[in-house]
Amino acid sequence: MDYQKTVQLPTTDFPMRAQLAKREPQRLEAWREQRLYQKLQEQRRAARPDGPDFVLHDGPPYANGHIHIGTALNKILKDFIVRVHAMEGEWAPYVPGWDTHGLPIERAALLELGVDPESLDPLELRQKCREYALRFVEVQREEFERLGVWGDWEHPYLTLTPEYEARQVEVFGEMARRGYIYKGLKPVYWCPECRTALAEAEIEYQDHRSPSIYVAFPVEDARGLFEPEGAAVIIWTTTPWTLPANKAIALHPDLEYVLVRVGEGARYLVARGRLEEVQKDLGWEAVTEEGAWRGAELEGIVTRHPLKDQTSPLILGEHVTLEQGTGAVHTAPGHGLEDYEVGLRYGLEVYAPLDERGRFTGEEPRYQGLPAQEANERILADLQAAGRLLHAGQLVHSYAHCWRCKNPVLYRATPQWFASIDAFREAALAAVDGVQWVPAWGAERMREMVKDRQDWCISRQRVWGVPIPVFYCEACQEPIIEPETIAAVADLFRKEGSDGWFTHEASEILPEGFRCPHCGGDAFRKEQDIMDVWFDSGASHAAVLEDRGLGWPADLYLEGGDQFRGWFQSSLLTAVATRGQAPYRKVLTHGWVLDGEGRAMHKSLGNTISPLEVCDKYGADVLRLWVAASDYQSDVRVSDAILEQVADVYRRIRNTIRFMLGNLADFDPARHRVPREGLEPLDRWALHRYRRLVERVRSAYQEDAFHLVYHAVNSFCTVEMGGFYLDVVKDRLYCEAADARSRQAAQTVLHEVVSGLIRLIAPILVFTADEAWEHLPEQARTQPSVHLATFPGVEEEAGLELEAGEEAAWDQLLNLRHAVYQAIEEARDRREVGGSREVSVELYLAPEAGELKASLEALGDLAELFLVSEVCFHEGPAPAEAAAIRLGQLEVGVQVRKTAHARCPRCRRNHPTTGRDQRFPELCLRCAAVVASLEPAGS
């Protein structure tokens, strides 16, 4: 007889080979056709008439290129969180968004056109930028969807839409109404290549080689403190190009300064704390001190400018330090923020003789037309000729660069629009304290940034963006920002978008009969600058959360750590300025994605990994599992080797699910489910471990600790199920009679476990979970898709959990099982035995261990639990060659030997009853009975 035909082998259409790269796009298309996301929202909304339970507000990526691995990490993490809340039965809508204005898009559009921006009409350039941005919105939308990210992709928020732009103008207007917006001549980061001001968030620091020079400013008037003849103040600078704009020299009021004579020659004033370094750099062999004063005593001394016929007074500033230089700081208010601030106190001219391209203007005829950096060489030559250059070298240091073009930037004073942070700084700091920051250090980081934040330069000298809604009176030249002018601009933008600013004259935008509130004039012109793109995205809490009816504030903002300088901060500032509180209850940050060796990813290094290529090779679910496996609050690593390891874990999870599904083909829960009292101890243990998994996973999900979910599920599938329970019950499932109570008991467990496991992994393995769900018994599928279902509960009927004593007994048994397998492996190495089924196990216990023996035997047939031929207990000491294991306070001796029992060809066990049945002498008694029951009656 062919006994193979008498066993119940697994049967399922759930394939072993995932073929994710092929099947995932097909499932995506099916989701779209079935409108599953929309159905989920309808179901959850129906039970929530008062609004969503949870809102994660999406930080808008730039619509300028394909997504990268860091973008994928961010969007997948957001998808995890939103899906978790949906699986908890909550209404958690997700509105994705895009930042569609700004320099990155304008530069990319100009690059595609291959033209200079000045050759294009502003409206023509804006149209090209719009087309470019919308094209990449569509590209990125498809790429995000390919990752399995669900959201309202049909109705995302875009910062270029008329309604959004109008709302942004209203946020600006409210800040202006409260007195937070002003225009001033102030030094700001300026990119000569992009020809615009930059915000702090648009600055990157890179190593840069600069001149390092010491320059002498001859003393003209020493205020009677010392003889000025032959004396000079020494300054040190790495920006010689700023020297033509020098207006003063700053000293710290509390530092001590000394006047020293070098040899028999010149006399120089430097800080005492820097004298040794200066002496070394300038090669002074011997110096003689002629006097010493506190900085405050030297205030008002007058020096001569080393290049120009003008004076440069000594002033006092707390910003002066002894970290570098001479303790006497060259001060150019037009080229440095600290210089500007100290200059305000002394009434110094804010002088910046550079144009928008960073070239010297006609105000400095000697250097006119030279770019600032190129002028350094000419300036050094002039200093040398004037006898004022004491030393010139080179210094490699961290220097500000433009985030977009990667070129060095300048500090340049220009008329700009600012938001006064000082006016609401304390309110912003208080708002920070009211937010939950994860990791917790985020609170202090944001506090420090807000505490030290200078006024926010919100104007940009570009075309592609939301115009600053300000008018100027032609009669008195005063800027005008009134509630009625803001309302007029907002109304225009809602109808025509911000292009209306360029197509209409001021008189066509302003209310009929409007007059200047300053002088009564009736002729006006429009501001030419646009708003900082961070103001665009920073207004999203108003334009999206409020206008979409999602509720304000958001429950969560989730972005990379770089957004403390960017979106986290701009959102906080606009919200506090207009509403007095933060726009988010919780902020969660993730780290950078590094390569396998811990290096930052750059195209130049050739170490980038495309998320779309990962999807094509492994599937999006493997990429998502990598995200789940990563402790994302720190920097995370990715490489082909790491992805291959994750793919192995994916296969183990998939195969575990497949095994369980395959053994439920003939299981009808309504007819075959076995109640708790009918389950074997092993089945109760499996359900107990499963419920512990549910608790751990749901708790980890609530903490956004996806790596704990990953490890818990992997361990459950690999160790508790694959490494024990499924291995043991395989015999029951395959070889017992199809309707045997013990087999149905195992199926009862598999049914509950696999149904719950599929739901537990659904937020992470979105494609695989939905595919597996479709292969569950029909009665187990409460919804057509797992993504419409909810997590398994942890509050089950009483008595489902194991008693403490029973759980301890199982722990002892598993420890003993491990010791048995170690002994089997050693015997196998000695070639004494083959597989575990042909092993007899001898256990040696002390006479007082009767209770331990009883507790172990109460858990079931130990031979089946150990997957061996038989287990025999002996009372007394173990043989010398036996292994030993301690269970609690008792020691158990373990010895294994090859069994004398024959192998049953049907169940492949070396069972003690093999050969006892007369009809089927080659079978064990259990298999003989099953085979006999399958024969036709009377045969």
Side-chain angles (χ1 to χ4, degrees):
M1 178 181 288
D2 184 357
Y3 294 125
Q4 184 76 10
K5 295 179 180 179
T6 70
V7 297
Q8 291 76 229
L9 295 176
T11 302
T12 179
D13 292 331
F14 184 64
M16 182 171 64
R17 294 187 61 204
Q19 294 185 292
L20 296 177
K22 174 184 176 182
R23 292 193 178 106
E24 287 174 344
Q26 297 169 354
R27 188 160 295 274
L28 270 178
E29 189 55 39
W31 287 346
R32 292 191 193 103
E33 291 175 359
Q34 298 165 22
R35 297 185 64 76
L36 275 184
Y37 176 78
Q38 289 74 15
K39 286 181 181 178
L40 174 65
Q41 300 310 303
E42 291 165 5
Q43 286 184 9
R44 300 295 191 264
R45 185 187 298 114
R48 302 292 189 276
D50 297 330
D53 296 288
F54 176 84
V55 173
L56 185 158
H57 182 37
D58 189 31
Y62 281 110
N64 68 326
H66 294 275
I67 66 173
H68 53 75
I69 195 73
T71 328
L73 171 76
N74 176 265
K75 271 293 193 288
I76 290 171
L77 284 171
K78 291 174 180 175
D79 193 54
F80 287 172
I81 291 171
V82 173
R83 286 180 182 274
V84 164
H85 282 272
M87 293 291 291
E88 291 286 357
E90 299 177 8
W91 179 23
Y94 175 60
V95 179
W98 274 275
D99 213 333
T100 49
H101 286 139
L103 183 60
I105 292 168
E106 186 173 331
R107 281 181 59 85
L110 286 168
L111 192 63
E112 281 195 354
L113 291 169
V115 297
D116 188 276
E118 295 179 358
S119 67
L120 289 176
D121 175 79
L123 281 171
E124 182 182 359
L125 176 54
R126 285 174 63 85
Q127 180 58 30
K128 295 297 183 184
C129 290
R130 181 178 294 104
E131 292 171 359
Y132 179 92
L134 291 176
R135 169 155 49 95
F136 276 101
V137 164
E138 183 62 22
V139 166
Q140 291 185 6
R141 181 193 65 78
E142 291 182 1
E143 293 172 345
F144 287 139
E145 285 198 85
R146 178 64 188 90
L147 301 179
V149 178
W150 266 15
D152 193 357
W153 296 111
E154 295 178 359
H155 308 98
Y157 79 87
L158 308 179
T159 59
L160 57 68
T161 58
E163 181 59 39
Y164 191 104
E165 293 176 328
R167 199 71 171 93
Q168 181 177 332
V169 164
E170 290 169 347
V171 171
F172 175 92
E174 178 61 18
M175 291 178 68
R177 187 187 71 78
R178 297 185 180 212
Y180 300 150
I181 303 295
Y182 70 94
K183 191 171 190 178
L185 178 66
K186 192 173 181 180
V188 295
Y189 289 115
W190 184 272
C191 178
E193 176 69 21
C194 300
R195 282 176 270 172
T196 187
L198 298 173
E200 290 180 27
E202 296 168 321
I203 294 299
E204 296 176 346
Y205 285 88
Q206 302 174 19
D207 284 347
H208 181 70
R209 185 177 295 277
S210 299
S212 171
I213 65 172
Y214 289 89
V215 180
F217 280 61
V219 176
E220 182 175 277
D221 180 1
R223 292 181 44 248
L225 294 175
F226 54 85
E227 174 59 43
E229 186 67 29
V233 178
I234 305 178
I235 65 95
W236 171 81
T237 183
T238 59
T239 55
W241 60 268
T242 63
L243 283 171
N246 173 275
K247 295 297 176 183
I249 297 173
L251 311 179
H252 194 287
D254 298 325
L255 292 180
E256 186 179 22
Y257 292 82
V258 293
L259 182 68
V260 297
R261 183 182 295 275
V262 180
E264 299 298 322
R267 298 144 65 225
Y268 297 110
L269 185 74
V270 297
R272 184 182 294 281
R274 294 298 301 171
L275 178 59
E276 184 178 343
E277 287 297 319
V278 172
Q279 186 173 351
K280 184 190 304 180
D281 287 348
L282 300 188
W284 296 343
E285 293 183 0
V287 299
T288 304
E289 184 177 322
E290 294 192 350
W293 304 268
R294 287 177 57 250
E297 299 175 84
L298 300 171
E299 182 183 21
I301 286 178
V302 178
T303 70
R304 297 297 303 174
H305 195 289
L307 294 171
K308 305 165 73 170
D309 186 17
Q310 66 182 47
T311 59
S312 185
L314 299 193
I315 61 175
L316 303 179
E318 298 284 345
H319 64 288
V320 178
T321 72
L322 294 177
E323 292 179 6
Q324 289 178 305
T326 67
V329 177
H330 147 56
T331 300
H335 291 303
L337 192 57
E338 291 174 328
D339 296 19
Y340 167 82
E341 290 172 345
V342 72
L344 284 180
R345 298 203 301 270
Y346 286 90
L348 301 180
E349 178 188 4
V350 181
Y351 178 61
L354 300 179
D355 64 16
E356 62 178 11
R357 295 177 181 270
R359 301 174 185 272
F360 276 95
T361 65
E363 296 172 287
E364 293 293 333
R366 279 195 285 183
Y367 313 116
Q368 184 175 1
L370 284 176
Q373 301 293 345
E374 293 181 21
N376 282 335
E377 188 174 342
R378 179 84 61 84
I379 290 169
L380 262 62
D382 289 346
L383 289 170
Q384 185 73 45
R388 305 304 179 205
L389 182 62
L390 302 181
H391 174 78
Q394 294 282 315
L395 175 71
V396 176
H397 61 139
S398 182
Y399 189 82
H401 286 66
C402 173
W403 70 323
R404 184 50 46 186
C405 70
K406 310 302 181 185
N407 288 310
V409 300
L410 310 172
Y411 243 120
R412 172 178 178 248
T414 58
Q416 301 287 344
W417 285 96
F418 296 89
S420 173
I421 306 303
D422 267 342
F424 56 89
R425 190 185 308 278
E426 291 306 314
L429 290 171
V432 170
D433 292 339
V435 173
Q436 180 187 359
W437 300 88
V438 182
W441 51 255
E444 187 59 27
R445 185 174 182 185
M446 183 59 85
R447 280 189 61 82
E448 288 301 312
M449 288 192 165
V450 172
K451 186 173 68 176
D452 297 335
R453 173 76 189 247
Q454 303 298 326
D455 284 356
W456 179 6
C457 177
I458 60 173
S459 51
R460 295 293 180 272
Q461 292 66 49
R462 305 299 297 191
V463 171
W464 181 232
V466 177
I468 291 180
V470 173
F471 299 89
Y472 296 90
C473 175
E474 294 285 20
C476 67
Q477 303 303 313
E478 285 293 322
I480 298 168
I481 316 173
E482 298 292 327
E484 57 264 46
T485 66
I486 291 295
V489 175
D491 287 345
L492 172 67
F493 285 10
R494 279 195 173 88
K495 294 172 186 172
E496 303 181 21
S498 58
D499 277 357
W501 188 259
F502 297 87
T503 58
H504 293 279
E505 296 297 327
S507 58
E508 298 175 297
I509 301 173
L510 290 167
E512 186 175 351
F514 180 82
R515 288 187 171 276
C516 174
H518 305 290
C519 72
D522 61 359
F524 307 93
R525 71 179 190 277
K526 298 171 294 182
E527 173 61 69
Q528 298 299 306
D529 289 351
I530 64 169
M531 287 193 220
D532 173 17
V533 71
W534 291 108
F535 199 101
D536 288 28
S537 57
S540 63
H541 60 86
V544 181
L545 296 178
E546 286 188 333
D547 293 1
R548 293 282 188 106
L550 299 176
W552 198 100
D555 292 289
L556 179 65
Y557 276 34
L558 166 58
E559 303 297 334
D562 57 328
Q563 294 307 313
F564 281 94
R565 292 197 309 150
W567 189 55
F568 292 160
Q569 190 173 153
S570 64
S571 299
L572 175 75
L573 296 178
T574 58
V576 171
T578 56
R579 291 162 176 75
Q581 71 177 90
Y584 34 67
R585 293 186 176 95
K586 177 179 175 181
V587 172
L588 180 60
T589 58
H590 61 76
W592 296 99
V593 180
L594 309 175
D595 70 9
E597 298 177 13
R599 299 175 302 172
M601 288 190 167
H602 294 292
K603 289 182 180 178
S604 60
L605 295 177
N607 63 346
T608 59
I609 291 180
S610 163
L612 301 177
E613 290 177 2
V614 175
C615 291
D616 290 341
K617 181 177 181 180
Y618 295 102
D621 267 358
V622 171
L623 182 66
R624 294 173 68 95
L625 193 59
W626 162 74
V627 174
S630 305
D631 186 359
Y632 62 87
Q633 292 181 20
S634 303
D635 292 341
V636 299
R637 298 188 181 194
V638 65
S639 66
D640 289 335
I642 291 171
L643 290 169
E644 193 57 53
Q645 292 170 4
V646 173
D648 284 342
V649 172
Y650 169 82
R651 285 188 281 270
R652 285 197 291 271
I653 295 171
R654 183 182 183 91
N655 289 336
T656 301
I657 291 172
R658 184 173 184 273
F659 177 87
M660 290 192 277
L661 290 175
N663 283 285
L664 293 174
D666 61 345
F667 181 74
D668 180 351
R671 294 189 299 119
H672 301 144
R673 182 188 296 273
V674 176
R676 166 154 177 90
E677 57 272 16
L679 298 178
E680 297 188 10
L682 176 62
D683 301 324
R684 294 197 299 272
W685 174 87
L687 286 178
H688 170 75
R689 299 309 301 170
Y690 159 68
R691 282 174 176 74
R692 286 289 177 88
L693 174 74
V694 173
E695 292 173 356
R696 286 199 302 270
V697 167
R698 289 185 63 177
S699 175
Y701 273 141
Q702 291 302 316
E703 298 296 324
D704 305 319
F706 307 112
H707 64 295
L708 298 183
V709 175
Y710 168 87
H711 290 297
V713 170
N714 183 29
S715 176
F716 181 76
C717 291
T718 304
V719 179
E720 295 173 318
M721 290 292 103
F724 181 44
Y725 181 74
L726 299 182
D727 218 12
V728 173
V729 299
K730 191 181 298 182
D731 178 73
R732 267 197 267 166
L733 293 167
Y734 292 5
C735 299
E736 292 286 353
D739 59 353
R741 189 75 161 169
S742 62
R743 181 171 182 270
Q744 290 175 349
Q747 288 179 306
T748 298
V749 173
L750 297 189
H751 173 265
E752 184 162 351
V753 170
V754 75
S755 168
L757 181 60
I758 290 170
R759 285 176 285 160
L760 290 176
I761 64 172
I764 295 172
L765 301 179
V766 292
F767 297 101
T768 303
D770 205 43
E771 181 187 11
W773 183 261
E774 293 175 353
H775 292 85
L776 277 173
E778 186 174 349
Q779 300 89 334
R781 285 181 272 131
T782 55
Q783 294 287 348
S785 167
V786 69
H787 301 303
L788 302 181
T790 55
F791 283 137
V794 292
E795 300 83 12
E796 304 292 345
E797 64 269 19
L800 205 54
E801 291 289 324
L802 295 180
E803 297 292 337
E806 190 177 3
E807 187 173 8
W810 277 107
D811 289 342
Q812 288 182 326
L813 181 135
L814 291 172
N815 289 334
L816 179 58
R817 188 176 189 263
H818 180 69
V820 166
Y821 271 71
Q822 280 187 320
I824 292 173
E825 285 302 314
E826 291 171 5
R828 184 177 290 154
D829 290 342
R830 296 191 299 268
R831 301 192 175 184
E832 295 173 0
V833 299
S836 69
R837 284 295 192 181
E838 60 180 58
V839 169
S840 287
V841 178
E842 312 287 340
L843 298 178
Y844 295 86
L845 300 172
E848 63 271 21
E851 187 176 336
L852 172 62
K853 176 176 179 291
S855 69
L856 292 174
E857 290 181 324
L859 300 180
D861 182 347
L862 294 183
E864 287 306 307
L865 293 174
F866 292 171
L867 297 178
V868 296
S869 175
E870 61 184 346
V871 175
C872 301
F873 282 96
H874 302 279
E875 187 176 301
E881 64 272 17
I885 179 174
R886 181 165 290 280
L887 298 180
Q889 301 299 315
L890 300 171
E891 186 173 278
V892 179
V894 179
Q895 190 172 33
V896 300
R897 58 179 173 77
K898 188 166 185 175
T899 184
H901 301 305
R903 185 171 190 174
C904 171
R906 182 172 180 269
C907 67
R908 299 178 182 177
R909 297 180 301 170
N910 293 74
H911 199 270
T913 65
T914 302
R916 293 185 185 178
D917 188 89
Q918 292 182 357
R919 289 186 60 192
F920 304 101
E922 68 273 30
L923 300 182
C924 66
L925 288 180
R926 187 273 313 270
C927 286
V930 173
V931 171
S933 71
L934 296 175
E935 291 190 333
S939 64

